[in-house]
Amino acid sequence: MGMQRRLGWASLAAATTMALAAGVITAPAAHSADEPVTVVVDGDDVRADNVNGLTYKGLGLLSCNSTSNLLMDYKAEHPDRYWQLVRVLFGGRNPLINHVKVEMGSDTNTSTGSDPATMRTADELADASRSPGFQLAADAKTVNPDLKVSILRWVMPQWVQTEWNKGTGTDEMYKWYKETILDAYEKYGYMVDYVNPDTNETTKPDISFVKWYKNALANDTEFADPRYGLTPAQQKAAAKAYHDIRIVASDENTTKNIGPAMLTDTELFGMVDAVGYHYTTEDRLDGAPDSATYQPYTKLATGDNARGQDKEVWYSEGVGSFGWTDYRVANTEGPGGASTGIGGVQSALDLANRSVKSYANSKRTHYIFQPAIGSFYEGAQYSHKELVSARDPWSGSIHYDAAVYVMQHFTQFARTGWENATNTAGIWRTVPEASYSGVSGTENVDGSNGAPSYMTLADPKKKDFSTIAVNDSDRTKSYRIKAENMALGADPTMEVWETRAADPGQAYDANFKHLAAEIRPDGDGYYTYTVQPRSIVTFTTLDRSHDKATQQRLPDSAARTVLDTDATGKRHDTRDSVLYADDFGYEEEGRVQVGTDNGARKVSQPYLKSRGDQPRYLVDQTGAWEVGEDTSGDNVLYQYLDQSMKATGAWNRNTPNTTVGDFRWENYRASVDVSFPDPAGGLATLGVRQQKGMAATDAAYSIGIDPTGKWTFYRYGTAIRTGTVAAADGYRLAVEAKGATVTVDVDGQTVATYQDPTPTSGGRVKLGTDFHTTAFDNLKVEKVAGYTPYATTLTDNMDSSVGYEGTWSRNASLGDAMNWYRSTSTSSTAGATFTVPFSGTGIDVIGGNDGSAVLDVEVDGRPVARDARTTATDKRQATYSLRGLRDGRHTATFTLKSGKLVLDAFTTLSGDVDGQVDTTPIRSTLKAIGRPAEADHTADSWALFATARSAARSAVGGQKGLDTIGVEQITNRLEKAYGGLVRKEA
């Protein structure tokens, strides 16, 4: 441990409350909101001998709960985009991410979904390749071999939990950890760097088990067991690396008990290398200043404790930016309804302030995002709180949020990471005396009070420093920075790098991480600069003005093309009748590159081996979904979580279910073979049109069947029809949804038809089981003749292309995860309008609504509907749908006549329709209305009728992209417009 100069206990007791609260020997002065901020960076405060607590480790990411699930599909389907992502996040001289933390899976849902258990039974050989987190770490090491990897648990596999409940499960726990760690070492060539033996987000740290585990780790000499798969040559190196594993504790959330425990327990202090806790920026402030409960984490980090040793302190789980910053900037949450730019609660600037304040108040030098990468389907719990969104592996689209630029302000202007044993790596130190945060809040922090918020990092040799200042307020903030006792060299020029929202008329990213100024000190040695509202700046003495890596822009997002493949499920093909197919054999898939040998090389592996037999595109909410061979030697999809492995402690307790497909799918037929290899029983379900949620019952329409042939048709988990077919070893299930009509088949025979009065219009496919081993094969999703199969695009309500007039409240802070990008625009003011440009044959207005809103609708300047009623809908559903337009570019304008309207997003309909469409209803209506004369009717009523009649005539003339729902709407609009004609007064 590095020795840290420290105050004696008498001095600590006498120190001022302000100094202790700031966790420094001499605290920076507090500031009013309006006065200039003076920052003195004194080389005497740069503690080069503090190698653990004050070294700046930078950022980490947490992989768990299916958050990384689809990344392995990106690697297989778009390897260029995947490896680019790896370079952007983990590569270069100044990596953004230095640490991959893996929360061990148990096939149960502890947040957004489930990660696979590496050992489902005590006898099963560990398989770390099932876990996308272990794979991601292996690949990240190809660009950063120094990347740290840590593990912890939340829910245990049943075989561990059973013994743990008896009070005798320590050996089982240790076995699970050890065999997983050694399997990752054998497969990928890296040793896990840190283990938290305790459970995630405990409130009472299990100190006795932490000690037990550390002793077991240190004294373990068995590495030759054939279960580990290590060659004799590997065993010695593995043993040494294994004994070097460090202990982190205790990942608490609402409590902060491990810090005081370490200060009062000499044995525990010596065993634990890093402490971490979640979702607060604060230290403890209990008791007297010299007590173990007052600023314990500050004392651990600075080494100002009885043992004179410094410890790592982590913000070991925190959120990413909520929603997409591109959209957040259109909010009205600032003073007087102004935008908060890239700031506001849960924004990119909020993340920066959390990092600053958690350091200033509790000396945490490492922030771990949960997650940094969102690679699971939208609509699951905690959607859109990440730096990077990667949710369409078939398209290769990856969205890098502006929050990446914001966090690069911390990582690109310092050498970050972990100091080596000889203290020669040159990792920059944080400088407590030159760091401060006066923003309000403890988790969701708020910088609107205009208080200073800054953090200083310095080269341990005192040659350079960087000060990051965050201004998440609507006022400018002046900074005066002075260097003392620093060896800055002959050129004192300081660069100022800035990130903020675009000015009017600029591209949205015009002001993201750019060199804003080069400044020199005045006669008194002060660098003076005014920081703009809602911005972050880095003041640095480094010369990065011509550095290509610093100036590098983030990759553009590719188009989010809809999942529409040929019969292999691999190749994009819009010309056939197949939307997607999977026989789980994957002969169409090629080999996949995998990082190994601690990142020294990549190896080419067969598709399924590279991913631990995990199926393509499936995101698991609960259960052990894996590809395996059936009795005939063919690959099928199994759900393995049976009664012996049943979930015991999941946060979100559901029966096993998994999701596949595109949220934009609308009218389609899904079918799958199911069978029941478990003699104890079973249940298999197939659902369609799933938009949100994490249970099998979150599919709008589904059928479940058991081995006796008993079947049930459900609408959102409510039984609509039941029946029985002949018992069999297996069945082929099918659910077809077209418009409001749902048809259910078993073995090719229709068993139920349902007409939904309030239909759900679209979504993905769900597979589900109960807790028995169940098999699925030959999944197929097909288009339905005469119906549009999917929407092509989704436009958020905050997108810059959408225009608003009148009174609207446009909110992103604290947004609901079930709203797209956590944003909504709401109005209850008659006359308020919104205008949406789009391409296609129709548009849906999406949002959770009470059905009170009444709308007038115009398309391309012509009236289409007057006094149109909206529908009471759940989030992510269409409250108003418009169909039957010609296929092409349009502009729709909606005027709120009365009621309340909540806008979330807009989807636009594809013009791809297979098969014949019967236009008889339109022809009949045209014939029935005859030829009314324009001269006989008021101009207003005639305009609506003329538009409806023109659309009807176009439709019967062979309109491209017209589908059955379009025919219904055109007919209804024509009938209503004709009935609404008003004759002129004589």
Side-chain angles (χ1 to χ4, degrees):
M1 296 293 178
M3 296 299 294
Q4 171 61 45
R5 69 178 186 274
R6 58 190 176 89
L7 290 176
W9 288 110
S11 298
L12 275 173
T16 66
T17 299
M18 176 60 75
L20 284 165
V24 297
I25 294 174
T26 303
H31 303 272
S32 74
D34 298 320
E35 68 180 350
V37 183
T38 298
V39 182
V40 176
V41 182
D42 190 335
D44 291 343
D45 295 328
V46 180
R47 307 183 195 183
D49 56 343
N50 184 309
V51 299
N52 300 300
L54 297 183
T55 46
Y56 187 62
K57 292 103 190 146
L59 307 174
L61 67 79
L62 179 57
S63 178
C64 62
N65 314 319
S66 282
T67 57
S68 304
N69 189 286
L70 294 171
L71 279 181
M72 298 307 105
D73 294 306
Y74 274 88
K75 179 160 67 167
E77 308 305 325
H78 291 274
D80 54 336
R81 298 285 288 177
Y82 173 80
W83 290 106
Q84 181 185 54
L85 169 71
V86 168
R87 292 190 299 273
V88 168
L89 294 187
F90 305 102
R93 176 181 60 186
N94 299 97
L96 181 75
I97 305 291
N98 286 324
H99 174 197
V100 172
K101 175 181 175 182
V102 181
E103 189 175 294
M104 300 268 279
S106 61
D107 299 314
T108 61
N109 188 321
T110 49
S111 184
T112 52
S114 60
D115 264 12
T118 56
M119 294 176 67
R120 296 192 172 111
T121 67
D123 296 330
E124 184 183 34
L125 294 178
D127 188 355
S129 67
R130 291 172 180 163
S131 166
F134 285 110
Q135 298 177 55
L136 178 62
D139 295 338
K141 278 181 169 284
T142 64
V143 296
N144 181 10
D146 293 328
L147 177 99
K148 300 299 182 185
V149 182
S150 69
I151 65 170
L152 83 163
R153 62 182 164 91
W154 194 341
V155 180
M156 316 169 202
Q158 174 71 352
W159 64 275
V160 180
Q161 184 74 63
T162 299
E163 297 303 318
W164 191 262
N165 290 346
K166 298 176 184 177
T168 59
T170 55
D171 289 341
E172 285 75 14
M173 188 77 73
Y174 184 80
K175 178 180 181 178
W176 177 36
Y177 283 1
K178 179 183 179 181
E179 295 196 14
T180 299
I181 291 168
L182 293 183
D183 186 66
Y185 181 82
E186 187 273 330
K187 284 186 169 72
Y188 303 123
Y190 66 79
M191 184 61 67
V192 164
D193 298 283
Y194 291 87
V195 173
N196 178 1
D198 208 348
T199 186
N200 180 55
E201 296 198 341
T202 180
T203 57
K204 297 179 180 179
D206 192 343
I207 291 170
S208 63
F209 182 63
V210 171
K211 292 180 178 180
W212 183 95
Y213 182 87
K214 175 62 177 179
N215 283 322
L217 184 77
N219 296 311
D220 195 339
T221 59
E222 175 53 73
F223 295 91
D225 191 319
R227 291 181 59 85
Y228 306 151
L230 300 174
T231 66
Q234 291 176 312
Q235 290 166 17
K236 184 176 180 180
K240 182 182 184 305
Y242 187 78
H243 291 142
D244 287 339
I245 291 174
R246 298 181 181 185
I247 300 299
V248 57
S250 58
D251 283 283
E252 296 170 73
N253 188 359
T254 58
T255 57
K256 310 181 190 79
N257 293 319
I258 194 67
M262 287 181 63
L263 291 175
T264 55
D265 186 330
T266 300
E267 183 182 30
L268 183 66
F269 187 95
M271 288 182 167
V272 175
D273 302 281
V275 295
Y277 53 108
H278 302 177
Y279 300 116
T280 178
T281 56
E282 302 307 297
D283 208 329
R284 281 185 70 163
L285 298 172
D286 308 339
D290 61 351
S291 70
T293 55
Y294 194 94
Q295 293 272 321
Y297 297 94
T298 295
K299 292 169 183 173
L300 287 169
T302 60
D304 294 333
N305 55 66
R307 295 167 187 85
Q309 296 178 345
D310 54 279
K311 297 284 186 177
E312 300 179 37
V313 184
W314 299 353
Y315 199 129
S316 53
E317 181 177 324
V319 300
S321 179
F322 279 40
W324 286 11
T325 300
D326 319 27
Y327 300 145
R328 287 184 63 101
V329 298
N331 69 58
T332 58
E333 296 170 333
S339 166
T340 62
I342 63 170
V345 176
Q346 297 177 335
S347 67
L349 293 185
D350 180 335
L351 300 188
N353 267 328
R354 290 178 203 226
S355 292
V356 173
K357 190 172 184 179
S358 65
Y359 175 72
N361 286 17
S362 51
K363 299 302 168 285
R364 283 184 279 182
T365 55
H366 187 38
Y367 188 103
I368 302 174
F369 290 101
Q370 203 303 76
I373 307 171
S375 200
F376 58 97
Y377 293 134
E378 297 103 329
Q381 187 168 264
Y382 302 133
S383 297
H384 295 302
K385 60 164 194 175
E386 65 265 347
L387 308 185
V388 179
S389 179
R391 292 183 158 93
D392 292 351
W394 48 86
S395 72
S397 179
I398 297 176
H399 176 266
Y400 296 86
D401 193 77
V404 175
Y405 288 118
V406 168
M407 299 316 295
Q408 284 176 343
H409 278 266
F410 294 86
T411 63
Q412 287 200 332
F413 302 95
R415 184 172 179 81
T416 66
W418 277 255
E419 191 52 86
N420 60 27
T422 58
N423 196 13
T424 56
I427 304 303
W428 283 30
R429 271 48 169 183
T430 54
V431 185
E433 293 83 354
S435 304
Y436 173 83
S437 182
V439 300
S440 63
T442 59
E443 179 188 348
N444 298 316
V445 298
D446 182 1
S448 62
N449 61 7
S453 186
Y454 58 92
M455 178 179 179
T456 298
L457 313 173
D459 172 11
K461 294 184 179 180
K462 309 179 185 182
K463 293 182 177 180
D464 283 293
F465 72 92
S466 297
T467 298
I468 305 101
V470 187
N471 181 13
D472 192 7
S473 78
D474 295 290
R475 289 165 280 181
T476 59
K477 199 72 186 172
S478 295
Y479 275 79
R480 301 173 67 245
I481 302 175
K482 185 177 183 179
E484 295 181 349
N485 301 312
M486 297 287 290
L488 299 182
D491 183 3
T493 301
M494 174 179 280
E495 295 178 357
V496 182
W497 291 79
E498 176 193 62
T499 292
R500 58 185 174 86
D503 294 327
Q506 290 183 319
Y508 83 99
D509 61 348
N511 296 322
F512 291 172
K513 204 190 68 179
H514 67 286
L515 181 61
E518 294 184 339
I519 57 179
R520 296 174 68 86
D522 61 18
D524 294 325
Y526 284 96
Y527 299 89
T528 302
Y529 188 81
T530 299
V531 178
Q532 295 300 306
R534 305 293 182 180
S535 71
I536 181 173
V537 300
T538 298
F539 303 99
T540 184
T541 59
L542 294 170
D543 183 1
R544 294 293 172 85
S545 59
H546 301 290
D547 182 64
K548 291 182 179 180
T550 306
Q551 296 176 347
Q552 180 67 47
R553 310 313 288 170
L554 294 172
D556 292 332
S557 301
R560 296 189 70 179
T561 54
V562 180
L563 179 57
D564 185 351
T565 73
D566 62 10
T568 68
K570 172 73 172 178
R571 287 175 288 276
H572 185 68
D573 186 354
T574 61
R575 297 168 297 178
D576 64 3
S577 63
V578 176
L579 279 177
Y580 182 63
D582 195 346
D583 64 5
F584 306 104
Y586 302 118
E587 290 84 0
E588 68 278 0
E589 293 286 357
R591 296 174 71 87
V592 178
Q593 294 290 305
V594 176
T596 189
D597 198 15
N598 197 41
R601 62 194 179 97
K602 297 176 187 175
V603 297
S604 176
Q605 293 183 348
Y607 179 80
L608 283 172
K609 181 181 179 181
S610 75
R611 52 198 287 133
D613 294 321
Q614 300 303 292
R616 181 175 59 200
Y617 297 165
L618 266 64
V619 174
D620 303 340
Q621 270 70 55
T622 298
W625 299 85
E626 195 164 298
V627 176
E629 291 187 354
D630 63 12
T631 55
S632 301
D634 295 327
N635 280 358
V636 300
L637 173 66
Y638 286 107
Q639 194 295 110
Y640 286 116
L641 201 63
D642 61 16
Q643 293 294 312
S644 70
M645 311 173 199
K646 188 174 179 179
T648 56
W651 187 4
N652 298 310
R653 300 190 185 190
N654 288 304
T655 54
N657 69 100
T658 189
T659 310
V660 63
D662 199 308
F663 71 89
R664 292 164 290 193
W665 287 348
E666 294 204 352
N667 302 293
Y668 61 90
R669 174 185 177 88
S671 58
V672 69
D673 294 330
V674 300
S675 58
F676 307 96
D678 191 336
L683 174 73
T685 64
L686 168 67
V688 301
R689 290 183 175 173
Q690 181 271 350
Q691 278 289 355
K692 64 184 183 69
M694 298 177 293
T697 54
D698 290 314
Y701 314 104
S702 63
I703 181 174
I705 196 166
D706 67 19
T708 70
K710 181 180 179 180
W711 59 266
T712 305
F713 168 58
Y714 301 93
R715 184 187 187 276
Y716 285 117
T718 299
I720 302 296
R721 307 274 193 278
T722 61
T724 303
V725 297
D729 293 334
Y731 308 93
R732 184 156 187 84
L733 306 180
V735 183
E736 180 182 89
K738 53 183 184 182
T741 304
V742 184
T743 305
V744 181
D745 291 359
V746 177
D747 291 337
Q749 299 298 313
T750 298
V751 296
T753 300
Y754 175 66
Q755 198 74 17
D756 193 342
T758 56
T760 295
S761 59
R764 307 178 185 92
V765 168
K766 273 275 190 188
L767 303 177
T769 72
D770 61 3
F771 290 100
H772 293 87
T773 300
T774 308
F776 297 80
D777 200 7
N778 299 313
L779 173 67
K780 196 170 187 179
V781 185
E782 301 170 274
K783 301 173 185 177
V784 178
Y787 287 81
T788 301
Y790 45 71
T792 51
T793 60
L794 178 139
T795 302
D796 190 69
N797 72 93
M798 293 278 199
D799 190 272
S800 60
S801 66
V802 183
Y804 291 86
E805 292 186 7
T807 303
W808 292 90
S809 175
R810 311 190 66 199
N811 298 313
S813 296
L814 304 172
D816 190 324
M818 294 304 104
N819 290 322
W820 283 99
Y821 308 109
R822 294 181 176 258
S823 67
T824 54
S825 295
T826 304
S827 183
S828 300
T829 303
T833 69
F834 58 101
T835 300
V836 189
F838 67 97
S839 294
T841 62
I843 185 170
D844 285 344
V845 179
I846 308 295
N849 278 277
D850 60 11
S852 64
V854 177
L855 304 173
D856 282 353
V857 184
E858 290 185 357
V859 176
D860 302 328
R862 302 181 69 183
V864 170
R866 293 219 176 91
D867 297 323
R869 305 290 308 188
T870 57
T871 303
T873 49
D874 196 1
K875 293 179 174 66
R876 294 186 184 247
Q877 300 299 328
T879 191
Y880 179 79
S881 295
L882 179 64
R883 299 287 194 276
L885 305 178
R886 61 174 177 79
D887 190 14
R889 294 183 178 180
H890 302 283
T891 299
T893 299
F894 302 82
T895 301
L896 180 63
K897 299 288 289 298
S898 62
K900 176 183 177 181
L901 183 64
V902 179
L903 301 178
D904 182 7
F906 311 94
T907 52
T908 56
L909 276 296
S910 163
D912 175 20
V913 181
D914 293 346
Q916 297 297 314
V917 178
D918 184 6
T919 58
T920 299
I922 302 176
R923 296 176 188 275
S924 298
T925 303
L926 282 170
K927 182 177 181 180
I929 65 175
R931 296 179 176 273
E934 179 179 0
D936 295 336
H937 300 90
T938 62
D940 190 51
S941 67
W942 184 263
L944 185 64
F945 171 76
T947 300
R949 185 173 63 176
S950 175
R953 288 172 173 173
S954 178
V956 298
Q959 179 174 299
K960 179 182 179 295
L962 181 67
D963 76 343
T964 302
I965 298 174
V967 170
E968 293 172 359
Q969 286 207 9
I970 289 171
T971 302
N972 291 337
R973 289 199 295 269
L974 180 58
E975 291 175 345
K976 187 174 181 179
Y978 177 69
L981 282 173
V982 178
R983 297 188 67 85
K984 292 179 180 178
E985 294 182 5

PDB file of all heavy atoms in Angstrom, residues 207-218:
ATOM      1  N   ILE A 207     -19.276  -9.271   6.484  1.00  0.00           N
ATOM      2  CA  ILE A 207     -17.845  -9.124   6.749  1.00  0.00           C
ATOM      3  C   ILE A 207     -17.194 -10.469   7.014  1.00  0.00           C
ATOM      4  O   ILE A 207     -16.066 -10.726   6.580  1.00  0.00           O
ATOM      5  CB  ILE A 207     -17.644  -8.149   7.916  1.00  0.00           C
ATOM      6  CG1 ILE A 207     -18.049  -6.741   7.459  1.00  0.00           C
ATOM      7  CG2 ILE A 207     -16.195  -8.157   8.407  1.00  0.00           C
ATOM      8  CD1 ILE A 207     -18.117  -5.731   8.570  1.00  0.00           C
ATOM      9  N   SER A 208     -17.896 -11.355   7.704  1.00  0.00           N
ATOM     10  CA  SER A 208     -17.297 -12.666   8.000  1.00  0.00           C
ATOM     11  C   SER A 208     -17.030 -13.448   6.720  1.00  0.00           C
ATOM     12  O   SER A 208     -15.991 -14.110   6.602  1.00  0.00           O
ATOM     13  CB  SER A 208     -18.210 -13.468   8.929  1.00  0.00           C
ATOM     14  OG  SER A 208     -19.454 -13.733   8.305  1.00  0.00           O
ATOM     15  N   PHE A 209     -17.939 -13.350   5.746  1.00  0.00           N
ATOM     16  CA  PHE A 209     -17.697 -14.085   4.505  1.00  0.00           C
ATOM     17  C   PHE A 209     -16.620 -13.398   3.665  1.00  0.00           C
ATOM     18  O   PHE A 209     -15.844 -14.074   2.989  1.00  0.00           O
ATOM     19  CB  PHE A 209     -18.981 -14.220   3.684  1.00  0.00           C
ATOM     20  CG  PHE A 209     -18.776 -15.017   2.418  1.00  0.00           C
ATOM     21  CD1 PHE A 209     -18.400 -16.352   2.468  1.00  0.00           C
ATOM     22  CD2 PHE A 209     -18.916 -14.423   1.171  1.00  0.00           C
ATOM     23  CE1 PHE A 209     -18.190 -17.086   1.311  1.00  0.00           C
ATOM     24  CE2 PHE A 209     -18.705 -15.142   0.008  1.00  0.00           C
ATOM     25  CZ  PHE A 209     -18.343 -16.483   0.083  1.00  0.00           C
ATOM     26  N   VAL A 210     -16.561 -12.085   3.693  1.00  0.00           N
ATOM     27  CA  VAL A 210     -15.481 -11.400   2.984  1.00  0.00           C
ATOM     28  C   VAL A 210     -14.132 -11.890   3.496  1.00  0.00           C
ATOM     29  O   VAL A 210     -13.210 -12.192   2.725  1.00  0.00           O
ATOM     30  CB  VAL A 210     -15.617  -9.870   3.139  1.00  0.00           C
ATOM     31  CG1 VAL A 210     -14.383  -9.156   2.599  1.00  0.00           C
ATOM     32  CG2 VAL A 210     -16.866  -9.355   2.420  1.00  0.00           C
ATOM     33  N   LYS A 211     -14.008 -11.989   4.805  1.00  0.00           N
ATOM     34  CA  LYS A 211     -12.754 -12.479   5.388  1.00  0.00           C
ATOM     35  C   LYS A 211     -12.516 -13.948   5.031  1.00  0.00           C
ATOM     36  O   LYS A 211     -11.399 -14.341   4.675  1.00  0.00           O
ATOM     37  CB  LYS A 211     -12.782 -12.310   6.903  1.00  0.00           C
ATOM     38  CG  LYS A 211     -12.767 -10.868   7.379  1.00  0.00           C
ATOM     39  CD  LYS A 211     -12.808 -10.805   8.903  1.00  0.00           C
ATOM     40  CE  LYS A 211     -12.749  -9.384   9.423  1.00  0.00           C
ATOM     41  NZ  LYS A 211     -12.801  -9.319  10.903  1.00  0.00           N
ATOM     42  N   TRP A 212     -13.568 -14.745   5.135  1.00  0.00           N
ATOM     43  CA  TRP A 212     -13.440 -16.175   4.792  1.00  0.00           C
ATOM     44  C   TRP A 212     -12.973 -16.326   3.354  1.00  0.00           C
ATOM     45  O   TRP A 212     -12.082 -17.122   3.054  1.00  0.00           O
ATOM     46  CB  TRP A 212     -14.778 -16.869   5.003  1.00  0.00           C
ATOM     47  CG  TRP A 212     -14.734 -18.351   4.738  1.00  0.00           C
ATOM     48  CD1 TRP A 212     -14.553 -19.336   5.646  1.00  0.00           C
ATOM     49  CD2 TRP A 212     -14.877 -18.996   3.460  1.00  0.00           C
ATOM     50  NE1 TRP A 212     -14.560 -20.578   5.025  1.00  0.00           N
ATOM     51  CE2 TRP A 212     -14.756 -20.385   3.674  1.00  0.00           C
ATOM     52  CE3 TRP A 212     -15.079 -18.549   2.156  1.00  0.00           C
ATOM     53  CZ2 TRP A 212     -14.844 -21.329   2.646  1.00  0.00           C
ATOM     54  CZ3 TRP A 212     -15.148 -19.474   1.127  1.00  0.00           C
ATOM     55  CH2 TRP A 212     -15.040 -20.846   1.370  1.00  0.00           C
ATOM     56  N   TYR A 213     -13.606 -15.547   2.465  1.00  0.00           N
ATOM     57  CA  TYR A 213     -13.271 -15.670   1.043  1.00  0.00           C
ATOM     58  C   TYR A 213     -11.830 -15.246   0.786  1.00  0.00           C
ATOM     59  O   TYR A 213     -11.102 -15.914   0.036  1.00  0.00           O
ATOM     60  CB  TYR A 213     -14.227 -14.830   0.200  1.00  0.00           C
ATOM     61  CG  TYR A 213     -13.964 -14.967  -1.277  1.00  0.00           C
ATOM     62  CD1 TYR A 213     -14.548 -15.989  -2.009  1.00  0.00           C
ATOM     63  CD2 TYR A 213     -13.109 -14.081  -1.947  1.00  0.00           C
ATOM     64  CE1 TYR A 213     -14.304 -16.136  -3.371  1.00  0.00           C
ATOM     65  CE2 TYR A 213     -12.854 -14.224  -3.296  1.00  0.00           C
ATOM     66  CZ  TYR A 213     -13.447 -15.248  -4.007  1.00  0.00           C
ATOM     67  OH  TYR A 213     -13.177 -15.404  -5.334  1.00  0.00           O
ATOM     68  N   LYS A 214     -11.409 -14.146   1.386  1.00  0.00           N
ATOM     69  CA  LYS A 214     -10.039 -13.684   1.181  1.00  0.00           C
ATOM     70  C   LYS A 214      -9.037 -14.743   1.652  1.00  0.00           C
ATOM     71  O   LYS A 214      -8.030 -15.013   0.958  1.00  0.00           O
ATOM     72  CB  LYS A 214      -9.812 -12.372   1.934  1.00  0.00           C
ATOM     73  CG  LYS A 214      -8.367 -11.857   1.884  1.00  0.00           C
ATOM     74  CD  LYS A 214      -7.905 -11.539   0.475  1.00  0.00           C
ATOM     75  CE  LYS A 214      -6.503 -10.962   0.468  1.00  0.00           C
ATOM     76  NZ  LYS A 214      -6.014 -10.662  -0.904  1.00  0.00           N
ATOM     77  N   ASN A 215      -9.282 -15.351   2.777  1.00  0.00           N
ATOM     78  CA  ASN A 215      -8.383 -16.405   3.266  1.00  0.00           C
ATOM     79  C   ASN A 215      -8.387 -17.606   2.332  1.00  0.00           C
ATOM     80  O   ASN A 215      -7.340 -18.187   2.041  1.00  0.00           O
ATOM     81  CB  ASN A 215      -8.783 -16.822   4.679  1.00  0.00           C
ATOM     82  CG  ASN A 215      -8.341 -15.825   5.726  1.00  0.00           C
ATOM     83  OD1 ASN A 215      -7.247 -15.263   5.631  1.00  0.00           O
ATOM     84  ND2 ASN A 215      -9.182 -15.581   6.721  1.00  0.00           N
ATOM     85  N   ALA A 216      -9.570 -17.987   1.860  1.00  0.00           N
ATOM     86  CA  ALA A 216      -9.657 -19.121   0.936  1.00  0.00           C
ATOM     87  C   ALA A 216      -8.903 -18.818  -0.351  1.00  0.00           C
ATOM     88  O   ALA A 216      -8.201 -19.677  -0.897  1.00  0.00           O
ATOM     89  CB  ALA A 216     -11.121 -19.439   0.641  1.00  0.00           C
ATOM     90  N   LEU A 217      -9.049 -17.595  -0.842  1.00  0.00           N
ATOM     91  CA  LEU A 217      -8.371 -17.172  -2.065  1.00  0.00           C
ATOM     92  C   LEU A 217      -6.848 -17.229  -1.888  1.00  0.00           C
ATOM     93  O   LEU A 217      -6.117 -17.753  -2.743  1.00  0.00           O
ATOM     94  CB  LEU A 217      -8.810 -15.747  -2.402  1.00  0.00           C
ATOM     95  CG  LEU A 217      -8.318 -15.111  -3.695  1.00  0.00           C
ATOM     96  CD1 LEU A 217      -9.091 -15.667  -4.880  1.00  0.00           C
ATOM     97  CD2 LEU A 217      -8.498 -13.595  -3.634  1.00  0.00           C
ATOM     98  N   ALA A 218      -6.377 -16.710  -0.774  1.00  0.00           N
ATOM     99  CA  ALA A 218      -4.933 -16.616  -0.546  1.00  0.00           C
ATOM    100  C   ALA A 218      -4.285 -17.975  -0.320  1.00  0.00           C
ATOM    101  O   ALA A 218      -3.106 -18.172  -0.663  1.00  0.00           O
ATOM    102  CB  ALA A 218      -4.665 -15.703   0.646  1.00  0.00           C
TER     103      ALA A 218
END
